[in-house]
Amino acid sequence: MQERELLRFTTAGSVDDGKSTLIGRLLYDSKQIFQDQMEALERTTKLRGEERVNLALLTDGLRAEREQGITIDVAYRYFSTPKRKFIIADTPGHEQYTRNMVTGASTANLAIILIDARNGVLTQSKRHGIIASLLGIPHVVVAVNKMDLIEWSEERFNEIVAEYTEFSRKLNIHDIQFMPVSALLGDNIVEPSRNMDWYDGPTVLHHLENVVITADRNLQDFRFPVQYVVRPHQDFRGFAGRIASGTISPGEEIVALPSGMRSKVKEVRLNGDISQEAFAGQSVVVTLEDEIDVSRGEMLVRTHNVPNMGTEFEATLCWMDSTADLDLTRHYTIQMGPRVSHAYVRTLAYKLDVNTLHRGEAGTLTLNEIGRISVETAQPFFFDPYERNRETGSFILIDPGSNLTVAAGMIRFDSGKLEKREATPVSSNVVWEELAVTREMREDRQGYRARCLWLTGLSGSGKSTIAKELEKRLFEEGKNVYLLDGDNVRHGLNGDLGFSPRDRDENIRRVGHVARLMYDAGFIVICAFISPVREVRDAVRQLFPDGAFTEVYVKCDIKECIQRDPKGLYAKALSGEIKEFTGISAPYEEPENAELIIANQDRPVEESVAEITGFVNQ
């Protein structure tokens, strides 16, 4: 039972759409209600003069909820089946309780959005989808409820599916399922409905038991915020905490932030026992081979996979305080994991209308309002974009006077700008100068969009060959295009860099910024670099607005690359002359979401160029 996977899910919907009834039905039909609970439920239902047992009372715990028949607070319920364990957050549907929904849904793997089949897609139905998207919930189930009240109409169900599908195209939701249900009668909740034989999809419980959530966990970026230093005696010094993301094993090289001191993992202790591996979500004690100074609030990460570190970042903020509004002139306490510091909200870029996604000007945020802000902290924080890592991309703001949580935030990377990082310095006493001739003006005159085409792949995969022909083809089409090649930029611009992992990352960082400047000049800029580290490529992507950066993975088997070996580098690497050579003694991290994959094993160059050109011209 302890080894069963845990799924956290939340329910949302308009008032009286049947959220609490659906959860009650789940618990009832899956035999999760104790006898004394059932007896109390029957007594309460009888006192209310209702004929059928009111399953919504299982979750609506406040007196005001029972009296009004609506959900106000966030109710948590726990149950399990032979396949999984579940934690349910029954969140309120009314707009005035947006903060409650944000709280309940912040850790959810899946959201169930209920829609009353009689009313169809309402403004609040869309708002719940928008909030689910903002919170990065990877899986959404749209349950079209009360099908019994519309005579189980397939036509009406299809109308709602079509309308919500069209709306959801605007959202960052990649897995959305639609189910016709009757929470009151139990149709398609636990057992398939006999009244809707036209529906052959899963029931709600079946989907909850089988939806794949392992891929949602970030197991790549090791992030270990230190909660406590364990020192029972002078011969033992360990660092206790919960692994926010990634995995760790003895022998791996780590770096402590913010000090930058390096060491290797000596032991990983899980539940008091030495473990050969630990992963995200587990609470462990890590010991190091070297005596380095690490304190509570600091973070252990892998040497070549570090988070952003800085005192400034942008975020989406939900204001939760009912007694005071956001004040840009006062300081707050910010907490991100165990790390705490003073902070100022420096700017409020806009307020988001969660019903329409409209961005409006605002001078402050009031209760339940959501806006885009910039934050400045007194101490450096270590963070990732919320879309990549919910654990290290979220924070809370606390009123230092009352010690009440006043807001919750999700860190975003503004398109066109990379957040301040240890590896991306900005000179002191300088400001970015806006130019009189904008990129948009250049694009309007030339008649096509500027963009960055980033070709990545192993040495010998054919990147440079394809890039040269691609530059020639686009130039012949009359486009302003320029190729930044790996070797060429090391003549002058990056001539001071070696080939250590740190220098290679710096090489790509500089190229990314040059590419961004050329992009602003209206060019189609082609970059052909091995760029083996996924996070470094992602950092370059963040320099560009959405849609302006195209990652092209030139894929070729390592054996074929070794056989080609156009510069004789593989031979030197295999003989030991070149250390840390990508593909031989250093890893290459394949792109996960490349816009284009060019399989370049035995493919003519012309075909590869034609495919990329077609993508550019579409």
Side-chain angles (χ1 to χ4, degrees):
M1 179 174 179
Q2 293 296 325
E3 295 177 354
R4 277 183 294 174
E5 195 172 40
L6 173 65
L7 173 74
R8 298 173 182 266
F9 70 94
T10 183
T11 58
S14 301
V15 174
D16 201 33
D17 273 352
K19 301 178 300 300
S20 300
T21 302
L22 181 141
I23 294 175
R25 176 59 66 180
L26 265 177
L27 298 174
Y28 181 77
D29 286 0
S30 59
K31 309 296 189 292
Q32 299 293 317
I33 303 176
F34 293 113
Q35 184 64 34
D36 59 339
Q37 289 179 304
M38 195 63 208
E39 292 173 356
L41 195 62
E42 292 171 347
R43 287 195 302 271
T44 304
T45 301
K46 187 175 181 180
L47 289 173
R48 291 164 59 96
E50 300 176 4
E51 296 181 3
R52 184 182 282 109
V53 174
N54 191 340
L55 298 173
L57 298 178
L58 284 169
T59 54
D60 286 340
L62 299 179
R63 178 180 296 179
E65 294 177 319
R66 294 194 297 267
E67 290 174 351
Q68 299 179 52
I70 65 172
T71 300
I72 297 174
D73 197 10
V74 180
Y76 293 95
R77 289 293 180 270
Y78 310 88
F79 75 102
S80 63
T81 67
K83 289 189 176 182
R84 264 188 182 148
K85 295 180 289 186
F86 302 93
I87 297 179
I88 315 168
D90 183 21
T91 60
H94 201 278
E95 187 172 3
Q96 72 187 85
Y97 302 117
T98 296
R99 62 172 178 174
N100 303 56
M101 180 181 175
V102 169
T103 301
S106 60
T107 59
N109 306 106
L110 179 146
I112 299 178
I113 299 176
L114 277 89
I115 295 178
D116 189 324
R118 299 169 302 173
N119 302 327
V121 180
L122 302 177
T123 299
Q124 288 195 70
S125 308
K126 296 179 179 180
R127 178 167 59 87
H128 298 138
I130 291 171
I131 294 176
S133 176
L134 284 174
L135 292 173
I137 299 176
H139 308 281
V140 171
V141 172
V142 178
V144 182
N145 192 25
K146 305 189 179 181
M147 292 294 293
D148 53 306
L149 300 182
I150 59 165
E151 299 180 353
W152 319 102
S153 171
E154 180 182 7
E155 181 181 358
R156 178 57 173 158
F157 173 72
N158 290 334
E159 289 175 1
I160 295 173
V161 170
E163 184 177 356
Y164 205 87
T165 299
E166 180 62 28
F167 158 73
S168 66
R169 298 186 196 280
K170 308 173 186 177
L171 307 179
N172 185 29
I173 299 176
H174 305 294
D175 177 23
I176 184 168
Q177 302 285 331
F178 295 88
M179 301 180 188
V181 303
S182 171
L184 184 66
L185 302 180
D187 290 70
N188 284 336
I189 303 299
V190 173
E191 299 295 336
S193 172
R194 297 179 179 178
N195 298 302
M196 294 179 283
D197 52 6
W198 46 264
Y199 173 74
D200 58 0
T203 64
V204 173
L205 182 60
H206 182 273
H207 184 70
L208 292 176
E209 287 183 323
N210 293 280
V211 62
V212 178
I213 61 173
T214 52
D216 303 334
R217 300 163 65 185
N218 186 332
L219 296 177
Q220 300 169 350
D221 306 321
F222 175 63
R223 305 288 186 260
F224 185 66
V226 176
Q227 293 274 2
Y228 185 70
V229 179
V230 180
R231 191 75 184 241
H233 51 78
Q234 63 180 7
D235 296 326
F236 185 91
R237 188 165 184 261
F239 307 104
R242 178 177 171 272
I243 300 176
S245 63
T247 63
I248 193 65
S249 299
E252 294 195 64
E253 189 175 275
I254 58 91
V255 58
L257 299 177
S259 68
M261 299 183 68
R262 301 187 179 196
S263 183
K264 287 187 177 180
V265 176
K266 182 179 179 181
E267 291 180 345
V268 178
R269 292 178 176 265
L270 177 64
N271 298 324
D273 299 322
I274 296 177
S275 176
Q276 293 305 308
E277 184 180 35
F279 50 85
Q282 292 183 324
S283 296
V284 298
V285 175
V286 175
T287 62
L288 305 179
E289 292 185 357
D290 305 291
E291 286 286 339
I292 65 174
D293 184 24
V294 181
S295 304
R296 172 180 167 82
E298 299 184 5
M299 184 179 286
L300 302 181
V301 300
R302 283 198 181 89
T303 306
H304 303 307
N305 183 352
V306 299
N308 296 272
M309 188 172 79
T311 58
E312 296 181 17
F313 53 82
E314 294 190 351
T316 301
L317 193 76
C318 176
W319 194 254
M320 299 180 169
D321 190 7
S322 60
T323 61
D325 301 338
L326 171 64
D327 188 345
L328 301 183
T329 65
R330 61 164 300 183
H331 81 272
Y332 296 94
T333 299
I334 183 172
Q335 181 167 352
M336 192 183 301
R339 195 164 182 82
V340 179
S341 175
H342 293 303
Y344 282 90
V345 177
R346 290 301 187 190
T347 61
L348 174 58
Y350 57 81
K351 180 172 65 175
L352 182 70
D353 186 330
V354 293
N355 295 321
T356 64
L357 283 178
H358 175 71
R359 301 176 178 182
E361 294 184 4
T364 186
L365 294 177
T366 60
L367 177 64
N368 293 317
E369 290 186 332
I370 296 175
R372 182 65 172 262
I373 63 164
S374 64
V375 178
E376 182 176 355
T377 62
Q379 298 180 15
F381 276 76
F382 329 111
F383 52 87
D384 298 287
Y386 183 82
E387 292 84 353
R388 182 176 180 86
N389 197 324
R390 292 167 76 179
E391 293 286 341
T392 55
S394 58
F395 63 92
I396 58 172
L397 292 183
I398 302 169
D399 185 322
S402 63
N403 208 35
L404 294 176
T405 299
V406 296
M410 295 152 282
I411 296 174
R412 311 291 186 186
F413 283 179
D414 192 18
S415 58
K417 183 181 76 173
L418 182 64
E419 303 298 332
K420 289 186 178 180
R421 306 163 49 108
E422 184 181 28
T424 55
V426 178
S427 301
S428 60
N429 301 317
V430 298
V431 294
W432 184 267
E433 289 290 339
E434 297 296 338
L435 303 180
V437 180
T438 66
R439 185 194 75 253
E440 289 79 7
M441 295 166 63
R442 300 175 196 272
E443 289 178 339
D444 288 342
R445 188 169 73 173
Q446 65 194 22
Y448 57 86
R449 289 174 51 212
R451 66 169 66 232
C452 175
L453 300 171
W454 191 276
L455 277 64
T456 176
L458 293 168
S459 176
S461 61
K463 299 182 304 302
S464 295
T465 303
I466 293 173
K468 289 176 183 177
E469 288 300 314
L470 177 62
E471 181 188 35
K472 182 180 177 182
R473 174 76 62 85
L474 293 174
F475 179 77
E476 291 172 348
E477 292 181 357
K479 295 182 170 63
N480 292 326
V481 58
Y482 191 81
L483 168 62
L484 292 173
D485 185 77
D487 284 349
N488 290 356
V489 297
R490 286 184 176 270
H491 286 74
L493 175 66
N494 294 346
D496 61 322
L497 299 177
F499 290 90
S500 68
R502 181 181 290 271
D503 281 0
R504 287 175 177 173
D505 291 351
E506 174 63 11
N507 180 56
I508 298 302
R509 186 193 73 81
R510 293 183 189 180
V511 169
H513 281 277
V514 171
R516 172 61 204 235
L517 291 173
M518 298 187 73
Y519 164 77
D520 285 338
F523 276 73
I524 296 175
V525 55
I526 305 169
C527 302
F529 295 84
I530 296 174
S531 48
V533 181
R534 189 179 299 117
E535 185 180 25
V536 176
R537 296 194 301 265
D538 289 344
V540 175
R541 179 188 289 273
Q542 291 156 13
L543 293 170
F544 293 84
D546 291 342
F549 181 91
T550 301
E551 190 175 38
V552 182
Y553 176 28
V554 183
K555 188 174 183 179
C556 186
D557 186 76
I558 183 66
K559 294 180 180 179
E560 176 67 21
C561 294
I562 293 174
Q563 186 174 348
R564 294 176 182 176
D565 202 11
K567 300 177 182 179
L569 299 178
Y570 281 103
K572 292 181 179 180
L574 290 169
S575 67
E577 292 183 48
I578 301 179
K579 305 296 183 183
E580 296 187 349
F581 188 79
T582 304
I584 301 298
S585 51
Y588 176 81
E589 298 176 6
E590 293 189 352
E592 292 182 327
N593 299 299
E595 283 78 7
L596 284 175
I597 298 178
I598 304 297
N600 199 36
Q601 199 79 358
D602 300 308
R603 190 182 192 187
V605 175
E606 294 76 14
E607 288 186 12
S608 300
V609 171
E611 182 175 352
I612 301 173
T613 305
F615 183 88
V616 172
N617 293 330
Q618 66 183 6

